[in-house]
Amino acid sequence: MSANIAEMEKRRAAAKLGGGQKRIDAQHAKGKLTARERLEVLLDEDSFEEMDLYVEHDCVDFGMQDQKIPGDGVVTGSGTINGRLVFVFSQDFTVFGGSLSARHAQKICKVMDAAMKVGAPVIGLNDSGGARIQEGVASLGGYADVFQRNVLASGVVPQLSLIMGPCAGGAVYSPAMTDFIFMVKDSSYMFVTGPDVVKTVTNEVVTQEELGGAITHSSKTSVSDLALENDIEALLAARDFFDFLPASNRDDVPERPCADTWDRLEYSLDTIIPPSANQPYDMQEVLRKTLDEGEFFELQPLHAGNILIGFGRIEGKTVGIVANQPMVLAGVLDINSSKKAARFVRFCDAFNIPIVTFVDVPGFLPGTDQEHNGIIKHGAKLLFAYGEATVPKITVITRKAYGGAYDVMSSKHLRGDLNYAWPTAEIAVMGAKGAVEIIFRGQDADGIAAKTKEYEDRFANPFVAASRGYIDEVIYPHSTRRRIALGLRKLANKSIENPWRKHDNIPL
Ligand code: HXC
């Protein structure tokens, strides 16, 4: 018996050493943690239960039969984050560069299947040289097996990817199909073809970081939701983020004790809207003053800053926030902001997370750039996402709600459940000056000014919309948190269903 235990311990120790001390040192020298160290930071202490520690590849080409490392380059299993179950895989760059063999893929598939069976999120820590070159097509098959599971898990259990090293070629498509991606600055990159191929094909010279680093993907492409300074920061952010997520589409949002009183009044909001409609103010301040303990976990802060998305809590329970940001491009809707918010709204809807929308939007951004790049199709994404969402939807119009953008931003007509406006709200087809210049074209400056004043007096308020029932109530700004909390209580048992269909056909 003791000999058996000794054998087990020997095998375990060998597996835990991965690709050996030299490669572990090399990993550390790059400022990266090892696969196991990462799991120690991500998961609650001593909660990790490993699976498939002894799995090895079965490749016999290129001398691989003599190079077997138990675990085969990926550490898989389950654990907890603040007591809640999560399934994880963590690619081990010290073992064949974390490259994906058929068995490595099989291990990832196994944890994904287990997560689906019990309804728990999956977090993948990616650090891999891509397909295991020695295995050829077996590795490609392995990737596709993972891809298929990403697709089937989408909307069933939350999937989060942390990119903590290379992630290139077709390998990018697994994270791309997960719900959220966090990237580590300077040590991670994602691209379909790397700088060398780019140089050969297009003659462009570009670094890995410029082509597909954390900043590129968090600002330009929006492939990544957050760029973090280092491994530790990324893993701790993932823990905080996880606390907002329900375990699956059949679970309620998590709830945690909250010291912030639900009916806290915030009088400073009564004066936050500047006297001139053209002056910006910071919507972040409105969010912080409304949410529990001022906490707003923002996603994609570096991309399409004219709209804010992220999670917060009201009475300890997760809410999804979508908010126009007047500080950037006056909060206008454009292609990027529409796409950014649409995907987030769909995530919230898939996972029963109520959506609170703060509106201050002057309309859609005009211009050939927007039109020629498809604002029609991309703007429709957000409209569609709100229109199909069946979760509780609360809307607060703080100032402008003009034109089509009024309709889009979770209006009553798109089944907004509770639509509130501050007294400073202006709900109209467009801004007064633009409107008057169209309907009174040719009038002199004085005439335009007089008509503008008339238009403002008539429409630059929430009461015309409220008189039609498009707004449920005009509320004091200071009571916003209280009204949202009451609204969410009221909507806790909301139940509506869309008509039966195989799936919808959102404009992609
Ligand atoms: C097998 C690999 C490997 C791979 C790296 N290694 N990538 N082994 N298959 N894909 C091994 C190396 O041989 C080396 O082994 C160890 O991992 C570390 O690699 P280094 O090159 O020393 O590390 P570094 O300098 O940091 O460079 C990392 C890297 C580079 C940029 C990822 O290794 C690289 O370019 N690898 C190949 C990438 C690639 O072309 N992959 C296939 C893409 S196609 P030793 O024993 O020396 O430690 C693809 C298709 C997927 O992925 C399609 C899905 C649909």
Side-chain angles (χ1 to χ4, degrees):
M1 179 67 178
S2 60
N4 294 354
I5 289 179
E7 174 66 15
M8 182 182 81
E9 280 175 357
K10 194 175 114 206
R11 282 174 178 262
R12 280 189 174 185
K16 287 186 177 163
L17 208 52
Q21 196 55 48
K22 218 172 101 206
R23 292 189 183 89
I24 293 174
D25 292 343
Q27 179 86 346
H28 287 158
K30 288 180 200 154
K32 291 161 49 168
L33 298 178
T34 65
R36 286 172 194 283
E37 288 165 347
R38 287 170 175 162
L39 289 176
E40 273 172 34
V41 180
L42 178 70
L43 301 172
D44 295 340
E45 204 176 342
D46 291 333
S47 73
F48 181 52
E49 285 187 280
E50 190 162 351
M51 281 197 267
D52 287 342
L53 182 70
Y54 309 106
V55 165
E56 294 173 343
H57 70 73
D58 57 0
C59 178
V60 290
D61 295 310
F62 304 105
M64 286 297 277
Q65 66 277 13
D66 302 323
Q67 300 180 55
K68 297 209 176 196
I69 297 177
D72 205 28
V74 63
V75 183
T76 59
S78 61
T80 58
I81 295 179
N82 290 322
R84 299 170 64 230
L85 179 64
V86 60
F87 285 82
V88 289
F89 65 88
S90 179
Q91 291 180 311
D92 185 348
F93 192 80
T94 71
V95 179
F96 309 118
S99 59
L100 185 136
S101 66
R103 289 278 164 80
H104 175 129
Q106 182 188 307
K107 285 181 66 175
I108 295 176
C109 290
K110 198 181 201 180
V111 282
M112 293 183 76
D113 291 343
M116 287 287 276
K117 211 160 27 183
V118 302
V122 181
I123 301 181
L125 311 183
N126 293 256
D127 187 358
S128 165
R132 177 87 47 90
I133 293 168
Q134 297 90 333
E135 287 204 11
V137 73
S139 162
L140 298 186
Y143 267 117
D145 290 338
V146 176
F147 296 160
Q148 180 66 67
R149 282 165 177 78
N150 289 131
V151 173
L152 295 179
S154 181
V156 180
V157 294
Q159 303 178 77
L160 170 64
S161 300
L162 270 63
I163 314 297
M164 315 188 86
C167 181
V172 298
Y173 285 111
S174 173
M177 289 190 289
T178 62
D179 297 301
F180 301 101
I181 296 181
F182 294 178
M183 289 183 76
V184 180
K185 287 185 199 166
D186 301 324
S187 60
S188 77
Y189 49 86
M190 297 177 80
F191 35 66
V192 174
T193 52
D196 294 345
V197 179
V198 169
K199 169 89 177 67
T200 311
V201 177
T202 70
N203 216 18
E204 288 168 290
V205 177
V206 65
T207 63
Q208 286 183 343
E209 193 62 22
E210 283 163 357
L211 186 63
I215 293 295
T216 297
H217 283 312
S218 308
S219 54
K220 281 200 175 104
T221 69
S222 85
V223 164
S224 168
D225 293 279
L226 279 186
L228 288 312
E229 290 301 325
N230 52 45
D231 281 14
I232 303 261
E233 202 185 283
L235 294 159
L236 294 180
R239 281 180 65 88
D240 284 348
F241 184 66
F242 183 83
D243 288 347
F244 289 99
L245 306 178
S248 79
N249 62 348
R250 274 171 293 189
D251 281 271
D252 292 329
V253 294
E255 185 174 355
R256 68 179 199 190
C258 168
D260 203 353
T261 47
W262 70 273
D263 57 353
R264 170 171 51 79
L265 302 178
E266 196 58 65
Y267 286 98
S268 61
L269 291 181
D270 290 343
T271 51
I272 194 169
I273 303 293
S276 158
N278 297 326
Q279 259 178 281
Y281 59 96
D282 191 358
M283 190 61 95
Q284 294 264 9
E285 191 180 338
V286 177
L287 300 182
R288 282 196 302 271
K289 287 182 168 162
T290 302
L291 296 167
D292 284 0
E293 282 136 28
E295 196 191 345
F296 174 49
F297 194 109
E298 188 178 356
L299 293 163
Q300 297 189 28
L302 303 179
H303 178 76
N306 36 333
I307 208 154
L308 306 172
I309 58 167
F311 294 114
R313 296 185 183 85
I314 294 282
E315 293 201 82
K317 292 189 202 162
T318 306
V319 288
I321 299 290
V322 179
N324 307 117
Q325 169 59 293
M327 302 272 282
V328 180
L329 294 171
V332 76
L333 279 184
D334 59 3
I335 291 172
N336 286 346
S337 59
S338 300
K339 290 200 292 190
K340 170 178 167 180
R343 183 156 157 83
F344 182 70
V345 165
R346 297 192 98 213
F347 177 83
C348 292
D349 189 47
F351 288 101
N352 310 315
I353 300 171
I355 301 164
V356 182
T357 305
F358 289 85
V359 183
D360 188 346
V361 64
F364 281 99
L365 183 63
T368 50
D369 176 60
Q370 289 290 306
E371 296 291 347
H372 292 174
N373 285 298
I375 183 64
I376 295 176
K377 182 166 272 197
H378 299 299
K381 291 182 165 117
L382 184 55
L383 173 58
F384 199 110
Y386 270 122
E388 71 177 343
T390 56
V391 286
K393 292 187 279 193
I394 299 181
T395 308
V396 181
I397 302 176
T398 56
R399 189 168 61 174
K400 297 170 203 162
Y402 290 163
Y406 154 73
D407 280 342
V408 170
M409 295 300 295
S410 200
S411 65
K412 202 78 198 156
H413 324 278
L414 298 180
R415 302 187 296 181
D417 295 297
L418 291 168
N419 291 59
Y420 296 126
W422 287 3
T424 42
E426 303 171 19
I427 305 163
V429 173
M430 59 201 299
K433 192 156 179 292
V436 167
E437 279 168 357
I438 292 171
I439 51 185
F440 297 104
R441 188 171 291 155
Q443 288 223 2
D444 60 16
D446 286 350
I448 292 281
K451 289 291 179 196
T452 301
K453 171 88 176 56
E454 192 183 329
Y455 194 92
E456 272 170 6
D457 290 346
R458 174 82 180 93
F459 292 120
N461 63 61
F463 301 106
V464 179
S467 72
R468 293 177 176 272
Y470 296 172
I471 293 297
D472 294 300
E473 178 65 303
V474 181
I475 62 171
Y476 287 109
H478 68 245
S479 70
T480 302
R481 172 177 167 82
R482 181 175 169 275
R483 301 301 287 241
I484 292 172
L486 283 172
L488 290 169
R489 286 184 196 177
K490 212 162 15 191
L491 294 165
N493 293 325
K494 176 185 174 184
S495 169
I496 57 168
E497 275 182 22
N498 291 330
W500 185 91
R501 56 189 152 193
K502 190 168 173 198
H503 57 71
D504 60 37
N505 189 17
I506 188 165
L508 291 175

